[in-house]
Amino acid sequence: MSQNPTLTDLRALTRNRARAQDGALFLQELARDEVEDRLSMVNKIFKAPGIVAAFPNMWRGNLNNARVVAEAEVIPLGVGEHDVVIHSLGLHWSNDPVGQLIQCRRALRPDGMLLAVALGGQTLHEMRSVLAEAEISVSGGLSPRVAPMGEVRDLGALLQRAGLALPVADTVALTARYQSLWHLMRDLRAMGEANALSARLRHPTQRAVLDKAAELYVQNFSHPDGGISATYELIVLTGWAPDDSQPKPLRPGSAQARLADALRTDETPLSD
């Protein structure tokens, strides 16, 4: 009986992460800074944080009493042990992102907060476009090269599927400038984000494909200050473990005042 195909080759991902260079982890640093900023705006003191991170060492010492664990299919956080759980920049490689969020919810105490940062669908859309066009032009085929990443609406819906209350999803966009496609690919390897898709080619890409892609990149996505542009989109997901103390929507028809009165305007009936 055959197993269902998986998106990510976890052995390749682990190898890529191990080869990452500390000086190239600016996306991970941006995600950490975003999390810290948002936690500072929450009117609550968190005393038992749990952190799931691709690069755990980056997080150690940042939050008091935090338990920091590496990203894994089975997250080693105890049930109901944390008042906040942070999932930092790993969902785009997960074979089961809903399962990841469910595990995070199970690790939360009632009214505990989940704060997850994921790469969104606009990430590297320029690179995805030129590689696809170049490969079709040169070889007549198409192979997976950039991990598929969810759109903000889709990722926001995952919070509800995971059983989290008060779900919110928003985006943080970043445009980076590189000298060329070659420099961009080198940077992706240095940050541990090289191709780890299970369906990836297992042999080197034809040089003609890469040369064509580099040419198309300059033609279509040049940066105003020289070089090329590359988009990174961080999607920030926030949700809470359900608790009776949380605000709940009113029952339809229970309003005690007319909206027109509150707005100080006339109510106009709609035609049938």
Side-chain angles (χ1 to χ4, degrees):
M1 189 172 178
S2 61
Q3 295 182 339
N4 293 328
T6 56
L7 172 71
T8 301
D9 179 345
L10 296 179
R11 291 180 61 183
L13 179 62
T14 300
R15 181 185 66 239
N16 292 346
R17 297 294 202 208
R19 293 173 177 173
Q21 301 171 17
D22 289 341
L25 301 180
F26 72 93
L27 283 181
Q28 301 289 338
E29 293 169 354
L30 181 63
R32 182 190 61 195
D33 294 345
E34 192 67 32
V35 165
E36 291 177 345
D37 285 347
R38 290 176 186 244
L39 287 178
S40 70
M41 293 185 286
V42 177
N43 187 25
K44 186 173 183 177
I45 297 175
F46 297 106
K47 299 180 179 179
I51 301 173
V52 183
F55 299 93
N57 289 337
M58 180 178 293
W59 284 90
R60 291 195 170 97
N62 282 75
L63 295 176
N64 293 332
N65 303 317
R67 172 170 167 75
V68 185
V69 300
E71 60 184 13
E73 289 188 298
V74 179
I75 299 174
L77 295 178
V79 176
E81 289 189 355
H82 302 281
D83 53 9
V84 61
V85 171
I86 296 160
H87 199 298
S88 180
L89 224 59
L91 286 177
H92 61 290
W93 285 120
S94 175
N95 288 314
D96 182 14
V98 178
Q100 289 282 299
L101 296 178
I102 290 173
Q103 291 180 72
C104 290
R105 178 182 57 78
R106 292 181 69 246
L108 288 169
R109 300 169 183 172
D111 201 35
M113 178 185 184
L114 169 70
L115 191 51
V117 184
L119 287 178
Q122 292 303 304
T123 299
L124 299 178
H125 70 87
E126 304 95 343
M127 182 178 179
R128 192 192 315 268
S129 173
V130 299
L131 283 172
E133 184 176 347
E135 190 169 16
I136 291 172
S137 173
V138 173
S139 66
L142 186 62
S143 56
R145 298 180 180 277
V146 180
M149 303 168 201
E151 301 296 334
V152 62
R153 180 179 298 180
D154 299 327
L155 291 175
L158 297 187
L159 293 170
Q160 293 180 305
R161 289 181 59 188
L164 289 152
L166 308 175
V168 176
D170 60 271
T171 65
V172 179
L174 169 69
T175 299
R177 181 166 66 95
Y178 291 94
Q179 185 175 335
S180 67
L181 174 61
W182 311 103
H183 291 82
L184 170 56
M185 292 191 297
R186 186 183 307 157
D187 203 31
L188 291 173
R189 287 193 295 270
M191 67 175 74
E193 295 291 339
N195 192 350
L197 294 171
S198 294
R200 71 190 185 281
L201 289 177
R202 302 307 173 102
H203 57 77
T205 300
Q206 296 179 56
R207 178 64 184 228
V209 171
L210 297 178
D211 286 341
K212 181 65 173 177
E215 177 186 337
L216 291 169
Y217 212 131
V218 172
Q219 291 175 2
N220 294 284
F221 303 108
S222 59
H223 193 280
D225 297 326
I228 59 172
S229 297
T231 298
Y232 296 101
E233 180 187 38
L234 300 187
I235 295 180
V236 184
L237 306 174
T238 307
W240 296 81
D243 185 71
D244 290 339
S245 66
Q246 293 167 351
K248 296 176 176 59
L250 294 175
R251 178 173 50 84
S254 62
Q256 300 299 310
R258 297 166 62 247
L259 179 60
D261 294 339
L263 297 176
R264 297 181 180 179
T265 186
D266 295 328
E267 183 175 5
T268 303
L270 295 176
S271 59
D272 294 334

